[in-house]
Structures are given as structure tokens and as C-alpha cells.
Amino acid sequence: KPSGLTPDIPTPCGLRPEGRASAVSTPPPTRVMPAVRVSRSRRVRCRAVLGAAAVGAAATVAAVAVAALGASTNSRAWVSASGGDGRGGAVAGAEARKLRSGAAQGPAASVAEGGSAGVSRRRTLAAPVAAAVVGGLVAAGLVAPATQPAKAEALTVEQPSMSRAAIQDAAKGLSDFERYVLFQAGTERAFTGKTTNGYAWDNPEEGVYVSPVSGAPLFSSKAKYNSGTGWPSYWAPIDKNAVLERVDPRDQENLPSFMWRVEVIDRASGTHLGHVFEDGPSPTGKRYCINAAALKFMPGSAPEGDAKQATKKTKT
């Protein structure tokens, strides 16, 4: 090499002896991200949420398993009661024939004790499973529990003012499905209902809806509105003394209290009409959701709706 030049040998620090940069560069230092600090309170909350979710999921699985076992047991009992062919109802043989002919003995609640076993099977499984799922979500903290339903007037049906013989007489003119709705608290499919004299559930005519059993006027067309649910809906009855509101006993037997509904009953005959909810329009905020099959329409002049006839809306 020419004299006076320093050999191109890098030093350990990457520089030439005279301080100039070498051809071999030092790799850049690795950037270290600062550690994310999580407060103790946040860690505690996270652990609590995860723990609640695990408990809720376990509760849901266990409840669904119990519900399925109960449904299986009820299914076997149902098949046994039907003679093993799966087509019978809760009442078999001669008793079922008596019910179809309207000759069954007992008050309104027992005029049509027979009915659809298939519906019973579906309810047996669906109700506990729904309760289990919702209960699991509540336990997990993912769903807030609902408020209690509106305070019902009574927990038991009062003695109907109609005699047993009069109720049986009126029931003879009803179809099997209408008896199922009225005497077994059945529910018609949405958007399909018809009154006992053939008017559609969304009938726009003016008139009065009466009980097909007692004949008592129950709801006015002037208090009717389209709730979008597929069932006749009213924001008030004609006379609050003509209907009875109570916590639905079937919900009490099968569902947790935050899922209970308030049943609406014709006071004179003790027959089931539907349920009342607190999501209706003004002036009452109530929605009387009634089966069309539990009503008879009488066209003509109808009284104005009276907000005072509806039960007071419960604050939630």
C-alpha cells in the first residue's frame, strides 16, 4: 500500500484508528418497549368477570342437561299415556271423546283438560332450556336480571260468576282449538288468529270484542292498535272489572320469577284471554296482547277507550 495510509482494519467499536467510519457498521440497538402496567383494581375486575363467566357457563350446561332429562322423562310418560303410539293427549280414550263432545265435567278450567301433547312436550323442553340459558347469562354478568312483572290483582282465579252448566253449554259451540286457547291457556300462532265468529286478528272494523263464553264486553276497537306482534292488541279494556289480571301460574311453575308474565282472564267465565305487558302506547303504556280465538267480535258502535280502566304502569 502507499505509505501514509492506515490499513482498513476496523476496531472493535467499528471505527478506524483515526476516527473515520469503517465499512463494517455496528447493528442498531434493539428498541425495548416499556412494560404496560395494569392496575391492581383492573386485574381484580378482570378475574371477577372471567370467574363469573365460567360459573355462568357451567350453570347453563348443567341446567340444560337437567331440562333434557326432564323432557325425556315427560316424553316417556306422554307416550305411555297415549297408549304407546305418541298421538294421545293428557286425557285418553273415553275422556278425550267426552272433551271433544263438550260433555266433560268441571268448571271452566277443566272443560277442556285434554289437548295437544306435542305442545306440552315442546313447552316442557323449551321453558327450562330458555330459563337455563338466561340464568347462565345473568350469572355470568352478561345480562341484567329483569324487573318483577306488574303486581297482579290476585294469584288465584276467583270463582267465576257463571255456573258450571252455563260454561259447559257455551263451550259446546266452540272448536277444539278455541277450547284449547280459552280453557288451557293456549296461544294461537302470530298473524293467523281469527275470532270465534270468523274475524281476522287485524280486523279494522268498529265494534266491541266480547267473551265467546260469558258474552261480557271486554275490549273496544277504539282502544285497539297495531303492535306489530301479530296478535290483537289494546291499550285498555272497556271495564277493568270485567277482566282479572294475575301472575301466570304456568310461568310460576316453570320459569324463574324475572320471566313471569301477567295473565288476563275473563272474570265472568274464568277463561284465558292472553297477557298484558308494559310496552304499549300512550295514554296507558299497556299492551293487552289477546288471542283472537278467545274473542267474539260484535260490529257496531264502540265506546271510546278509557285509560282509567287499565292497571297502572309499573315503574322499572
Side-chain angles (χ1 to χ4, degrees), residues 17-116:
E18 63 269 24
R20 289 179 295 174
S22 162
V24 179
S25 60
T26 304
T30 303
R31 184 177 179 183
V32 180
M33 298 295 292
V36 178
R37 297 184 60 83
V38 180
S39 66
R40 175 181 173 80
S41 60
R42 181 172 294 181
R43 290 197 301 272
V44 171
R45 285 197 299 269
C46 288
R47 291 193 189 107
V49 170
L50 292 175
V55 171
T60 299
V61 171
V64 169
V66 172
L69 179 61
S72 175
T73 302
N74 284 342
S75 175
R76 290 193 297 272
W78 172 77
V79 171
S80 175
S82 64
D85 61 359
R87 292 177 294 177
V91 179
E95 184 64 18
R97 288 192 292 273
K98 287 169 61 181
L99 292 173
R100 285 195 294 271
S101 65
Q105 300 298 317
S110 63
V111 169
E113 288 181 356
S116 170

Side-chain angles (χ1 to χ4, degrees), residues 156-180:
T156 57
V157 179
E158 297 178 359
Q159 184 66 29
S161 59
M162 292 181 67
S163 67
R164 179 177 302 180
I167 293 174
Q168 291 175 356
D169 236 13
K172 290 179 182 179
L174 301 172
S175 69
D176 289 343
F177 180 74
E178 289 162 356
R179 286 193 209 172
Y180 165 67

Side-chain angles (χ1 to χ4, degrees), residues 200-204 209 220-226 232-235:
W201 67 274
D202 56 351
N203 172 37
Y209 293 87
S220 168
S221 61
K222 293 188 177 179
K224 187 177 182 180
Y225 72 100
N226 183 8
S233 300
Y234 311 86
W235 46 262

Side-chain angles (χ1 to χ4, degrees), residues 2-301:
S3 59
L5 294 179
T6 306
D8 191 12
I9 301 174
T11 62
C13 63
L15 298 176
R16 296 188 180 197
E18 63 269 24
R20 289 179 295 174
S22 162
V24 179
S25 60
T26 304
T30 303
R31 184 177 179 183
V32 180
M33 298 295 292
V36 178
R37 297 184 60 83
V38 180
S39 66
R40 175 181 173 80
S41 60
R42 181 172 294 181
R43 290 197 301 272
V44 171
R45 285 197 299 269
C46 288
R47 291 193 189 107
V49 170
L50 292 175
V55 171
T60 299
V61 171
V64 169
V66 172
L69 179 61
S72 175
T73 302
N74 284 342
S75 175
R76 290 193 297 272
W78 172 77
V79 171
S80 175
S82 64
D85 61 359
R87 292 177 294 177
V91 179
E95 184 64 18
R97 288 192 292 273
K98 287 169 61 181
L99 292 173
R100 285 195 294 271
S101 65
Q105 300 298 317
S110 63
V111 169
E113 288 181 356
S116 170
V119 173
S120 300
R121 290 180 71 191
R122 289 193 295 272
R123 283 184 174 178
T124 300
L125 178 59
V129 169
V133 173
V134 175
L137 293 175
V138 171
L142 302 177
V143 174
T147 57
Q148 291 287 344
K151 185 178 180 181
E153 181 179 336
L155 293 179
T156 57
V157 179
E158 297 178 359
Q159 184 66 29
S161 59
M162 292 181 67
S163 67
R164 179 177 302 180
I167 293 174
Q168 291 175 356
D169 236 13
K172 290 179 182 179
L174 301 172
S175 69
D176 289 343
F177 180 74
E178 289 162 356
R179 286 193 209 172
Y180 165 67
V181 171
L182 286 161
F183 298 110
Q184 292 183 261
T187 301
E188 66 198 14
R189 286 189 300 167
F191 304 100
T192 66
K194 287 187 177 181
T195 64
T196 57
N197 56 340
Y199 287 86
W201 67 274
D202 56 351
N203 172 37
E205 295 183 38
E206 181 177 352
V208 175
Y209 293 87
V210 304
S211 165
V213 178
S214 69
L218 301 175
F219 297 97
S220 168
S221 61
K222 293 188 177 179
K224 187 177 182 180
Y225 72 100
N226 183 8
S227 64
T229 60
W231 287 281
S233 300
Y234 311 86
W235 46 262
I238 292 176
D239 182 0
K240 62 184 178 183
N241 294 318
V243 297
L244 174 69
E245 297 179 23
R246 64 166 185 173
V247 175
D248 193 319
R250 290 155 294 276
D251 289 353
Q252 287 180 298
E253 292 174 2
N254 301 314
L255 298 173
S257 60
F258 62 85
M259 298 179 71
W260 291 354
R261 296 167 298 173
V262 176
E263 184 183 17
V264 183
I265 297 170
D266 171 36
R267 189 185 293 271
S269 64
T271 51
H272 172 82
L273 300 175
H275 295 87
V276 59
F277 302 93
E278 302 199 349
D279 56 5
S282 59
T284 63
K286 310 287 281 193
R287 172 169 61 93
Y288 288 81
C289 186
I290 309 299
N291 290 283
L295 300 172
K296 181 178 180 180
F297 180 67
M298 307 296 290
S301 179

